[in-house]
């Protein structure tokens, strides 16, 4: 991360003022002092990135500050300066936590080398902290269908560039998986890859997540924090569900894409970044532009290279491969045994509509793995899909009547049983009709948020 705020602590007035002046000329924010008492007061009031500190001071040894800072999670880096250098002294300082050690007299070129090392070190620390909080996800796109082969070929071509990519598709199709694969294949695969779930972050916090904030910029901002764009500098950022951000944030995001710069919340320092942008959405952004919900200029900035992820129903031949991959994972996860799926279960999965796409298939198989008899093959009944598809339409599938659920789900008057997807769709559309098309009222009656309702209506339109 960028080195911005520096403290120079030295009781030698000439050295202190000279170093302070040279740092200010290079646009660093610099505070200077000559005692340990003064530096402790400065650290208590604000965040600093690095401290240049003399070993011997009027009110103590500079190494005392290392003891003060050793347990602080946001402590600045400490560079010791001394005119009485020795190997023993340097080793002692480094053992106590000093970042570096400089012997007087020194040149400013030496200081610049230290600052460069500090910048690189800070970014590594911040990235390691970020990645340690991330959940590990699978990164392989599974399937041999023509749709998947076409998708993989597109990813290989665009991976060789740094073009902005907009990944679209229904919920559960694996848009984030595609973004991960694109990053792995890219020229930036050895650089940072930072993800932001725009739909999961509240509107009043997303600006801070994107761009970071300064200490005291809002209630709870007790420390300066770098945003995701800053963490992704020289690498890649994934803006997951980009269609959910507010118009205000859209304008600020447009500036970053155009000018490659921003300010932290509560800050006035302009931060320059070089970041490749990947974005995903399950919304029709063209329709959102027409409805005034999404900026047209931002849409075109994002849609440089569009990639659409096919729904699972359009590549049914991939289902057995995907299903067996999930099964192997859940057998290991839950320490269970099963020889696999019965032939009838495979036929059933390939005939099912999978409104929730790969995510629904994954959840179904995990449940079936747990519910199946240990050592026995997974059958159609255990999958729990028989009550959602008329058995007459599934060649070779087990009879619904055998499950004992046929009589409760259908009759001569009702016709074949409906899937949960169809029942939910019918109910939601009925409530929407009763409210005269008012989505806000309908969402309250259905007890879901407006975003969930909108996503479901988009899904119904696509399935027609």
């Amino acid at each position: 991360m960028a080195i911005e705020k520096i403290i120079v602590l030295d009781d030698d007035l000439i050295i202190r003022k000279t170093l302070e002046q040279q740092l200010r000329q290079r646009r660093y924010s610099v505070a200077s002092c000559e005692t340990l008492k003064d530096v402790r007061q400065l650290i208590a009031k604000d965040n600093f990135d690095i401290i240049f500190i003399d070993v011997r001071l009027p009110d103590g040894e500079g190494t005392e500050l290392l003891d003060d800072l050793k347990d602080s999670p946001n402590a600045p880096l400490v560079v010791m300066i001394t005119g009485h250098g020795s190997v023993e002294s340097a080793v002692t300082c480094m053992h106590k936590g000093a970042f570096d050690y400089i012997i007087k007299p020194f040149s400013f070129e030496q200081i610049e080398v230290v600052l460069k090392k500090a910048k690189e070190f800070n970014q590594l620390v911040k990235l390691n902290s970020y990645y340690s909080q991330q959940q590990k996800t699978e990164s392989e796109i599974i399937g041999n269908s023509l749709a998947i082969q076409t998708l993989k070929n597109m990813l290989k071509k665009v991976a060789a560039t740094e073009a902005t990519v907009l990944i679209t598709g229904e919920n559960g199709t694996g848009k984030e998986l595609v973004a991960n694969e694109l990053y792995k294949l890219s020229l930036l695969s050895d650089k940072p890859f930072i993800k932001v779930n725009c739909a999961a972050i509240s509107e009043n916090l997303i600006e801070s997540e994107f761009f970071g904030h300064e200490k005291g910029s809002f209630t709870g901002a007790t420390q300066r924090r770098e945003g995701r764009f800053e963490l992704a500098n020289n690498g890649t950022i994934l803006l997951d569900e980009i269609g959910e951000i507010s118009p205000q944030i859209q304008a600020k995001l447009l500036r970053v894409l155009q000018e490659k710069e921003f300010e932290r919340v509560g800050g006035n320092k302009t931060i320059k970044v070089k970041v490749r942008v990947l974005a995903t959405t399950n919304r029709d952004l063209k329709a959102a532009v027409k409805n005034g919900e999404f900026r047209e200029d931002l849409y075109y900035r994002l849609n440089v290279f569009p990639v659409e992820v096919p729904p699972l129903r359009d590549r049914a031949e991939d289902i057995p491969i995907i299903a067996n991959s999930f099964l192997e994972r859940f057998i290991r996860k839950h320490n269970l045994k099963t020889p696999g799926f019965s032939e009838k279960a495979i036929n059933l999965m390939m005939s099912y509509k999978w409104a929730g796409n790969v995510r629904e298939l994954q959840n179904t198989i995990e449940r079936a793995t747990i519910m199946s008899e240990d050592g026995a093959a997974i059958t159609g009944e255990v999958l729990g899909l028989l009550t959602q598809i008329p058995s007459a339409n599934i060649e070779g599938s087990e009879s619904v009547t055998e499950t004992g659920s046929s009589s409760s789900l259908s009759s001569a008057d009702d016709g074949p049983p409906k899937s949960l997807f169809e029942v939910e769709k019918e109910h939601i559309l009925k409530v929407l009709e009763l409210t005269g098309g008012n989505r806000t009222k309908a969402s309250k009656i259905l007890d879901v948020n407006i975003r969930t309702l909108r996503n479901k209506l988009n899904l119904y339109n696509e399935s027609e």
Side-chain angles (χ1 to χ4, degrees):
M1 308 327 312
I3 300 296
E4 300 170 27
K5 296 182 178 180
I6 300 173
I7 296 176
V8 177
L9 172 58
D10 199 312
D11 60 335
D12 186 317
L13 179 62
I14 295 177
I15 292 177
R16 186 172 74 247
K17 289 301 181 182
T18 300
L19 182 53
E20 179 183 357
Q21 182 181 11
Q22 290 174 324
L23 290 169
R24 288 187 187 279
Q25 287 174 352
R26 287 158 178 80
R27 300 185 180 279
Y28 292 106
S29 174
V30 186
S32 67
C33 51
E34 58 180 318
T35 66
L36 286 170
K37 178 181 178 181
D38 292 339
V39 79
R40 286 171 176 140
Q41 290 176 346
L42 285 172
I43 294 172
K45 292 178 181 178
D46 202 354
N47 296 119
F48 290 88
D49 300 301
I50 193 166
I51 301 176
F52 292 95
I53 177 172
D54 193 8
V55 171
R56 296 181 179 177
L57 296 164
D59 57 344
E61 293 288 316
T63 51
E64 293 178 29
L65 190 63
L66 293 172
D67 295 327
D68 294 346
L69 297 175
K70 65 180 180 181
D71 295 323
S72 174
N74 295 288
L77 300 178
V78 177
V79 177
M80 306 303 299
I81 301 175
T82 182
H84 310 279
S86 67
V87 174
E88 292 78 10
S89 174
V91 169
T92 299
C93 289
M94 301 305 279
H95 280 171
K96 283 180 171 288
F99 177 71
D100 213 333
Y101 189 92
I102 298 176
I103 299 175
K104 300 176 185 177
F106 54 84
S107 67
F108 194 73
E109 284 73 20
Q110 290 176 271
I111 299 295
E112 288 182 317
V113 169
V114 171
L115 292 173
K116 183 179 179 181
K117 285 167 55 181
K119 178 181 177 181
E120 293 170 351
F121 176 80
N122 269 353
Q123 181 155 18
L124 284 174
V125 170
K126 295 292 184 182
L127 284 173
N128 287 336
S129 175
Y130 173 82
Y131 284 131
S132 69
Q133 300 171 26
Q134 302 305 299
Q135 187 176 16
K136 301 282 185 183
T137 58
E138 294 292 329
S139 59
E140 295 182 357
I141 300 175
I142 302 173
N144 299 317
S145 64
L146 178 60
I148 287 300
Q149 290 177 19
T150 301
L151 175 64
K152 288 180 178 180
N153 287 335
M154 290 180 68
L155 295 182
K156 287 179 182 177
K157 289 182 178 180
V158 74
T161 75
E162 294 187 14
T164 301
V165 179
L166 179 62
I167 304 168
T168 59
E170 297 176 9
N171 279 330
T173 51
K175 296 184 291 296
E176 185 177 346
L177 196 79
V178 170
N180 290 343
E181 189 73 9
L182 180 54
Y183 166 71
K184 281 176 53 182
L185 296 171
S186 75
L187 302 175
L188 302 173
S189 59
D190 60 338
K191 300 295 191 297
F193 183 37
I194 305 299
K195 303 175 185 180
V196 190
N197 187 337
C198 302
I201 303 171
S202 63
E203 188 173 330
N204 60 332
L205 290 178
I206 196 164
E207 183 178 359
S208 172
E209 287 293 325
F210 275 175
F211 311 123
H213 60 254
E214 296 291 346
K215 180 178 180 180
S217 57
F218 55 84
T219 303
T222 57
Q223 301 288 342
R224 187 182 74 197
R225 181 186 177 193
E226 291 79 7
R228 306 292 178 90
F229 271 93
E230 200 169 347
L231 288 173
N233 191 30
N234 295 317
T236 305
I237 191 167
L238 170 61
L239 306 177
D240 197 20
E241 298 301 345
I242 189 64
E244 305 307 320
I245 63 174
S246 68
Q248 179 185 5
I249 301 300
Q250 289 176 31
K252 295 187 177 183
L253 178 59
L254 179 64
R255 180 194 171 200
V256 177
L257 298 183
Q258 289 178 332
E259 309 298 333
K260 311 296 184 186
E261 63 182 30
F262 60 89
E263 289 82 37
R264 298 194 193 106
V265 176
N268 53 22
K269 178 181 175 62
T270 298
I271 298 169
K272 297 276 188 179
V273 289
K274 181 184 178 184
V275 179
R276 185 189 193 178
V277 176
L278 310 179
T280 74
T281 183
N282 64 346
R283 294 186 63 188
D284 182 347
L285 290 188
K286 280 188 176 179
V289 169
K290 289 181 180 178
N291 296 334
E293 299 172 350
F294 202 83
R295 291 182 64 111
E296 185 176 22
D297 45 7
L298 178 57
Y299 170 70
Y300 286 115
R301 279 282 176 181
L302 293 170
N303 198 41
V304 175
F305 192 95
V307 172
E308 184 172 4
V309 186
L312 191 56
R313 61 180 174 273
D314 289 351
R315 52 187 187 103
E317 61 266 45
D318 290 334
I319 289 176
I321 304 173
I322 301 171
N324 279 298
S325 175
F326 284 143
L327 181 60
E328 290 175 7
R329 184 195 306 176
F330 296 132
I331 286 173
R332 291 193 301 269
K333 177 180 177 181
H334 300 297
N335 194 27
L336 298 171
K337 294 180 180 179
T338 175
F341 300 98
S342 71
E343 182 179 351
K344 295 177 182 179
I346 292 290
N347 291 335
L348 181 61
M349 287 189 289
M350 292 181 69
S351 302
Y352 187 64
K353 191 171 185 178
W354 298 113
N357 291 293
V358 178
R359 186 180 297 128
E360 183 184 1
L361 175 62
Q362 176 181 342
N363 294 341
T364 298
I365 291 173
E366 181 166 20
R367 177 186 178 279
T369 305
I370 296 170
M371 294 297 294
S372 64
E373 293 292 332
D374 199 21
I378 295 177
T379 65
E381 289 95 336
V382 176
L383 285 172
L385 304 178
L386 292 177
T387 59
Q388 301 177 37
I389 301 178
S391 60
N393 293 338
I394 306 171
E395 183 180 352
S397 67
E398 295 94 329
S399 169
V400 173
T401 305
E402 292 178 5
T403 68
S405 59
S406 177
S407 60
S408 63
L409 289 171
S410 64
S411 67
D413 295 329
D414 295 335
K418 296 179 179 179
S419 70
L420 293 177
F421 175 81
E422 292 168 329
V423 172
E424 181 188 71
K425 175 181 176 181
E426 183 177 316
H427 179 64
I428 288 177
L429 294 179
K430 182 66 176 178
V431 171
L432 200 61
E433 181 183 351
L434 291 172
T435 60
N438 189 313
R439 295 185 180 186
T440 302
K441 290 183 179 179
S443 66
K444 290 181 180 178
I445 294 172
L446 294 166
D447 194 25
V448 298
N449 63 52
I450 190 73
R451 181 184 299 169
T452 299
L453 177 59
R454 182 178 64 233
N455 290 341
K456 287 184 178 294
L457 293 175
N458 289 337
L459 183 60
Y460 301 154
N461 290 333
E462 293 169 359
S463 64
E464 292 178 355

